[in-house]
Structures are given as structure tokens and as C-alpha cells.
Amino acid sequence: MSEEKKGFFGRIAQGLSKTRKNISDSIGSVLKNVNFSKLDEDVYDELTEALILADIGARTADEIIEALRKGVKENKVKTAEDARELLASEISAILRTEDAFELPSPSIVLIVGVNGVGKTTSIGKLSARFIADGKKVIVAAGDTFRAAAIDQLEVWAERAGAQIVRQQENSDPGAVIFDAIRAAVARNTDILICDTAGRLQNKQNLMEELRKISKIIDREYPQARREVLLVLDGTTGQNALSQAAVFKEITKVTGVILTKLDGTAKGGIIVPIKRDLGLPVRFVCVGEGLGDILPFDAEEFAKGLFMG
């Protein structure tokens, strides 16, 4: 395993400690002293319950346990460790995506999500990561309606070393994105990251706003690769899944950033987000520092979930 992989696994394992305690400790107690040649339905039911309690979802949990049942028989599993590896393998297979997340120059990334999920901090962390990779980054303060959102974003952009394009509070978000695109083209910017409003109270208004921004990008920045990353708060569990479903309905979400992974016992919500909605997780946040955002790796996540 490379040093980078070791580092990722260690940080993911640490970030997943609460979720792992929720899942793995339960599974460990179920599997303790189990005779794998005579596994009964009570054991499988308890394993299913452990997965559901981590917000993996009932249907997905049933599928995973059914695969475990088959794997135990076919592979002649005899130890709890082997069973854990089978579970990790099944979850990894659900979460794996064929396409790698790459941002050629130029690229534009729209950040969407409800208020309070960590959009502003995620933009700061992403900016710092891209800048560390040698990219030139501009941030657009497109959430012009939330009090202090622009000032907060400016603080994070400054910390990351990114330039920012902003207007006054209550300005037209489309105008901000327009100005930011012009600045990105003029300054030969690699990546333009755009904040957007997080108001779900009136879904129609938000849909129209995002549609308007999309038209501006089509017209003014057709050469840019476009990504729409949905920020979800891992601590909200099933509510994050509901938000993902709504945003998938109103805009073309291409991936997910899961925040506060280190503060939740419900990190398993990643699984139904991918399984039920088909949205790949692109990044996870495991802390509050600028460097505490990691590109998502399905295999290492699954290992961290069960094995630490």
C-alpha cells in the first residue's frame, strides 16, 4: 500500500470512528463465538439491524446481508474477520464508480446544498486542495441572500489563497456568476468554484435560480468542464438522503461532498445515496481544518467502516 493510501485509510478510519463503533461493535458482538457452519436467521437479522442503525437503509442492508449469506456458504467463511471482509467488499462494490473525478482546465464547479451543511467550509477546503495541486482558483460568492454568507466565504477564500468575486448582499446571483466567469477567463483560471443559495423553503425559486445560472454558464463559459457537487451533512442521516433526492430533482448533480463525517455515527448514509440515487461521493470531510477534505475511495471507506 502506498504512503498516500496509508494516509487516506488512517484518516478515513479515524473519521469513521463513531460510525464504526455503531456498526462494527454491534457486528462484533453478534459474530462473537458464532459457529459459521450453523449460522441461523437470528444472527443474520441482528447483522441487518446493525447496518440499518448506521443509516445504510433497510433495502440495502437486506441486499448486503443476502450477499453475505451467499458468500459465507460459497467461501466457507469460518471467522468473524472473514465475515467483516465480505461485508466491506459488498459495500465497496456498491460505492465504486467507474469514472474518476478530474477537473481539466478550465472547469467550473457549482456547490449546492441547504444552509448549514458546510458549503462555505467545503469551498474553502476544495480551494486549498486545488491550489496545493498547482491550480489557479477563483471563488464566486453566489449565495447573496444569506446574512454574512459573502463575508464568511471571503474569509475561507483568503485562508485557502483563492481569489474571490463578490457583490453586495441581495445582489443577483446570476450577475455574480457572470462576473466570476469573465474574471476566470481574463485571468486564465483553472477552476472556478461557485457558491449558490441553499433555500429549500421555496423549491421553485431555487430551481429557477439554478436554471438561470446554468444558462449563463452555457452562454459565457461553454469551454469549461462543469461539475455540480451537492454538500450533505453526514450527521443528519436519512435527512441527507431526502435532501439529495430533492437536489437531484431540481438540478444536474454530478457528485456529493459529505461533511462532518468525523462527528457522526451515521456515516453509512453514503451507501443509499449511491445505491438508491446513483450519486457518486466525490469528497468527504473529516475535520474542520483546511486539509480535512479527502477524495473519496470506496474500498478504503468500506475497510474503515468495518476494520479500522
Side-chain angles (χ1 to χ4, degrees), residues 39-48 65 68-69 72:
L39 278 180
D40 58 27
E41 284 306 309
D42 288 343
V43 172
Y44 285 117
D45 286 346
E46 289 181 55
L47 291 174
T48 302
I65 295 304
L68 175 66
R69 188 196 307 269
V72 165

Side-chain angles (χ1 to χ4, degrees), residues 156-184:
W156 275 93
E158 185 176 331
R159 287 180 64 190
Q163 301 173 58
I164 186 169
V165 173
R166 56 169 290 175
Q167 293 185 12
Q168 296 302 310
E169 192 174 317
N170 295 320
S171 299
D172 176 16
V176 177
I177 304 304
F178 178 88
D179 287 350
I181 289 172
R182 288 293 178 92

Side-chain angles (χ1 to χ4, degrees), residues 1 56 59 78 88 108 137 147 170 209 228 251 281 301:
M1 185 184 291
I56 281 177
R59 184 173 61 173
K78 299 187 185 308
I108 182 167
V137 177
N170 295 320
E209 186 175 299
V228 181
T251 191
V281 179
F301 176 87

Side-chain angles (χ1 to χ4, degrees), residues 99-263:
D99 60 319
F101 183 78
E102 296 177 353
L103 293 178
S105 181
S107 288
I108 182 167
V109 181
L110 295 182
I111 303 295
V112 300
V114 301
N115 292 331
V117 295
K119 283 193 294 126
T120 304
T121 55
S122 293
I123 290 171
K125 292 171 183 177
L126 280 179
S127 298
R129 183 173 188 87
F130 296 148
I131 289 169
D133 288 338
K135 306 289 188 181
K136 187 183 293 186
V137 177
I138 288 180
V139 170
D143 184 357
T144 61
F145 299 105
R146 184 170 62 86
I150 299 170
D151 292 339
Q152 289 171 2
L153 187 62
E154 188 164 40
V155 169
W156 275 93
E158 185 176 331
R159 287 180 64 190
Q163 301 173 58
I164 186 169
V165 173
R166 56 169 290 175
Q167 293 185 12
Q168 296 302 310
E169 192 174 317
N170 295 320
S171 299
D172 176 16
V176 177
I177 304 304
F178 178 88
D179 287 350
I181 289 172
R182 288 293 178 92
V185 172
R187 301 172 196 174
N188 199 27
T189 299
D190 297 304
I191 302 172
L192 171 59
I193 306 176
C194 304
D195 193 11
T196 63
R199 299 161 296 146
L200 269 188
Q201 295 89 338
N202 189 324
K203 191 168 68 174
Q204 190 63 34
N205 282 0
L206 182 57
M207 188 184 302
E208 290 302 321
E209 186 175 299
L210 292 172
R211 186 177 291 128
K212 180 180 178 181
I213 289 172
S214 181
K215 287 181 178 179
I216 291 170
I217 296 169
D218 288 341
R219 186 182 69 240
E220 302 294 331
Y221 214 18
Q223 70 272 34
R225 163 76 170 271
R226 189 186 314 183
E227 296 283 347
V228 181
L229 297 183
L230 169 63
V231 181
L232 297 171
D233 180 342
T235 66
T236 61
Q238 289 296 314
N239 194 38
L241 186 64
S242 301
Q243 290 172 20
V246 172
F247 273 94
K248 186 182 179 185
E249 176 191 339
I250 66 177
T251 191
K252 294 179 180 177
V253 177
T254 60
V256 169
I257 300 173
L258 193 74
T259 65
K260 308 175 188 178
L261 191 63
D262 56 314

Side-chain angles (χ1 to χ4, degrees), residues 258-273:
L258 193 74
T259 65
K260 308 175 188 178
L261 191 63
D262 56 314
T264 182
K266 300 181 177 184
I269 195 63
I270 284 181
V271 181
I273 286 171

Side-chain angles (χ1 to χ4, degrees), residues 12 16 19-20 23-24 27 47-48 50-52 54-57 59-68 83-97 267-275 281 296-307:
I12 278 291
L16 281 168
T19 299
R20 186 172 60 254
I23 294 181
S24 198
I27 287 175
L47 291 174
T48 302
L51 296 179
I52 292 172
D55 274 1
I56 281 177
R59 184 173 61 173
T60 307
D62 284 340
E63 290 180 2
I64 291 170
I65 295 304
E66 187 57 39
L68 175 66
R84 287 175 185 268
E85 287 185 10
L86 269 177
L87 287 168
S89 177
E90 289 301 321
I91 287 180
S92 176
I94 292 171
L95 293 173
R96 197 174 297 122
T97 55
I269 195 63
I270 284 181
V271 181
I273 286 171
K274 175 63 167 59
R275 163 67 176 74
V281 179
F296 184 72
D297 183 300
E299 183 179 347
E300 300 306 322
F301 176 87
K303 285 182 182 177
L305 204 58
F306 289 102
M307 299 170 192

